[in-house]
Amino acid sequence: MTGTTPQPTSRTRSWWGWGWTDAHPGDDECAAMGALLPGTLARPLPVPHVRDLRIGGPAVEPPASLAHLVTDDPDDRAAHAMGKAYRDVIRALRGRPGRIPDLVARPTDDREVADLLDWAGDRQVAVVPYGGGSSVTGGVEYRGDAHRAVLSLDLTAMGRVLEVDTVGRAARIQAGALGPGLEEQLRPHGLTLRHFPQSFEFSSLGGWLATRAGGHYATGRTHIDDFVQSLRVVTPAGTSASWRLPASGAGPSPDRLFLGSEGALGVITEAWVRLQERPVHKASAAVSFTGFHDALRAVRAVAQSDLAPANCRLLDAGEAGLAGAAQDGSAVLVLGFESADAPVADRLERAVGLARGYGGRRDGTDGAGGAGGAGGTADGAPADAAVSTWRSAFLRMPYLRDGLARMGAIAETFETAATWDRIPALIEDVRTELGAAALKATGYPATVNCRLTHVYPDGAAPYFTVLAAGRPGDEVAVWDDLKAVASEVLHRHRATITHHHAVGRDHRRDYDRQRPDPFALALRAAKGALDPKGILNPGVLVD
């Protein structure tokens, strides 16, 4: 079947911050949040305007044959200059967004992508692939001056579901499909990809693939890798199209070369991905713990069982308080199960039972209630208050971060993964050393919270939130210093520099330290073979 590209919404995306412009907190809300952090500004920084950047003309002009795909509109160029990390937001607020791309191109098929790459290679124009622009690691910006011009290659005009195989439950989808449009096109078939990162609304299939994004599932199929059947990738050296197969043992996987390649080896233009029937049976509950270490042991027990919850997120006391899931100093475990063909309330009960064995108590009950009671949901029942509150806070958090940034505060997150034997000490050291570094850098104490976003039988992915006062006008430097301290702690504990946010440019130094030297040689060789003129996302993964 042939799909159609969903029509764009009438709402306006923020060029400088997260999400929709009409969803950002107003000045009064920003000031109220800032008042909770000593050392922040007295009033919020003004919302920035593109006109204040005084963007000049492009350094190159496209040939007539490609002109219809390309724009040099200042608003469009500014919106493609950066991702959505804290350091991006604060740079925009301070009027220092970095190098603005000269041009933005929106190809509609593989041939146009190839033609743009050919032209860029001949003119030494850097090409930065761009999906939804939600990168939080510097993955969609150009840094440096080695290229005469920069082209942002926006793939969102390639957003169709091209084929659906209902027998094999798979679909061929163009890489520019944003999350909501992708699911909208699959819905008539009763199928879903069900990959829901926090950035779902503003990120694309190609972006998920290029960054090996983590998604909806807290166990099992946690990454987009698990859904891939085959990829189609346009490179300056030609187009790579792997066979669509359920599995293969034929040498190193060609798809693995491009998954996580972040646009440095080629432009992912489409993929066959595995689908599933839409779940109709759901159950969820929140379980509270007095002690965080007891909660960690409970989560490990659930992860090492055969229950495979869709959601198994542990919030420490600070994170639970921030999300409104608990205000009594408890850690909170949010559990969720779902299925397309069978009730899941019994699986929820078994998971809650495991948690009780480590001192957990189901919220709203004495720990003995049944699914669907005050402390949980049976199939089709509304979620309990703690779960619903957490979900709402989860989606609202990026907007609140931007509000705090307007108050000159440090408000950012980072994530990692490590084996269970290292998790307790890792979390403790991050809290202690990052808190001390923030106090030294700003003179004010910091809040360092932690949650587990994904869990495995052999380890977990801690996700940290840092809230602190900044130094007015010097917020980026403060955050960079804090991130360097955190990265050293991760390296010391042999925890990955990123579990699902990608390497980008912000994590490049630590990625170089993490990867084996022989693999680095192979990656550089692949870059040289596939991108001989060095135009694809320069500075990402390899030099």
Side-chain angles (χ1 to χ4, degrees), residues 81-406:
M82 302 178 299
K84 301 301 181 184
Y86 167 80
R87 68 189 321 275
D88 302 326
V89 171
I90 200 69
R91 285 187 298 159
L93 287 169
R94 292 294 185 182
R96 300 191 291 264
R99 184 163 175 177
I100 306 291
D102 296 83
L103 301 167
V104 177
R106 290 183 174 83
T108 61
D109 58 30
D110 283 16
R111 181 68 264 167
E112 291 175 351
V113 171
D115 289 345
L116 286 163
L117 294 184
D118 287 345
W119 167 73
D122 291 340
R123 296 298 187 92
Q124 268 301 294
V125 174
V127 178
V128 181
Y130 187 101
S134 61
S135 170
V136 292
T137 61
V140 295
E141 68 175 276
Y142 179 88
R143 296 178 188 171
D145 55 8
H147 295 77
R148 62 182 299 200
V150 180
L151 173 72
S152 179
L153 190 68
D154 186 320
L155 296 173
T156 53
M158 300 172 65
R160 292 185 298 153
V161 173
L162 300 173
E163 296 182 61
V164 175
D165 173 7
T166 56
V167 175
R169 293 200 307 193
R172 181 165 68 98
I173 305 175
Q174 290 181 307
L178 298 178
L182 184 156
E183 288 291 338
E184 178 185 327
Q185 294 177 79
L186 294 176
R187 186 178 295 277
H189 302 277
L191 297 171
T192 174
L193 176 60
R194 205 145 181 80
H195 179 80
F196 297 141
Q198 189 177 28
S199 62
F200 170 77
E201 193 175 7
F202 308 107
S203 55
S204 68
L205 173 62
W208 303 339
L209 297 166
T211 60
R212 298 182 65 193
H216 167 70
Y217 292 101
T219 66
R221 294 170 293 183
T222 59
H223 281 68
I224 193 65
D225 312 30
D226 303 312
F227 298 91
V228 174
Q229 278 189 332
S230 68
L231 296 180
R232 187 173 180 86
V233 186
V234 176
T235 82
T239 297
S240 172
S242 60
W243 289 10
R244 180 191 169 203
L245 296 167
S248 174
S253 166
D255 295 336
R256 288 283 172 181
L257 177 64
F258 295 107
L259 286 169
S261 62
E262 302 191 29
L265 302 180
V267 181
I268 299 171
T269 58
E270 63 181 60
W272 273 98
V273 292
R274 299 178 177 93
L275 307 176
Q276 57 188 298
E277 294 181 11
R278 306 184 74 84
V280 294
H281 302 279
K282 299 180 182 181
S284 62
V287 183
S288 298
F289 296 83
T290 302
F292 184 68
H293 287 283
D294 288 336
L296 284 175
R297 294 166 62 209
V299 172
R300 175 162 54 86
V302 173
Q304 292 176 346
S305 72
D306 62 353
L307 295 174
N311 198 3
C312 185
R313 298 184 183 239
L314 175 62
L315 317 178
D316 72 2
E319 195 75 6
L322 196 64
Q327 301 297 334
D328 62 355
S330 296
V332 176
L333 171 60
V334 179
L335 289 167
F337 291 83
E338 58 186 42
S339 172
D341 59 5
V344 293
D346 60 332
R347 288 162 58 196
L348 176 65
E349 284 300 305
R350 288 171 58 197
V352 170
L354 286 174
R356 284 199 198 103
Y358 296 92
R361 62 190 186 278
R362 177 179 277 174
D363 284 4
T365 74
D366 60 2
T377 68
D379 299 294
D384 70 279
V387 176
S388 296
T389 300
W390 168 78
R391 287 174 180 157
S392 298
F394 179 73
L395 297 174
R396 180 68 173 152
M397 198 60 66
Y399 292 101
L400 300 182
R401 179 207 64 178
D402 291 358
L404 283 168
R406 290 186 61 200

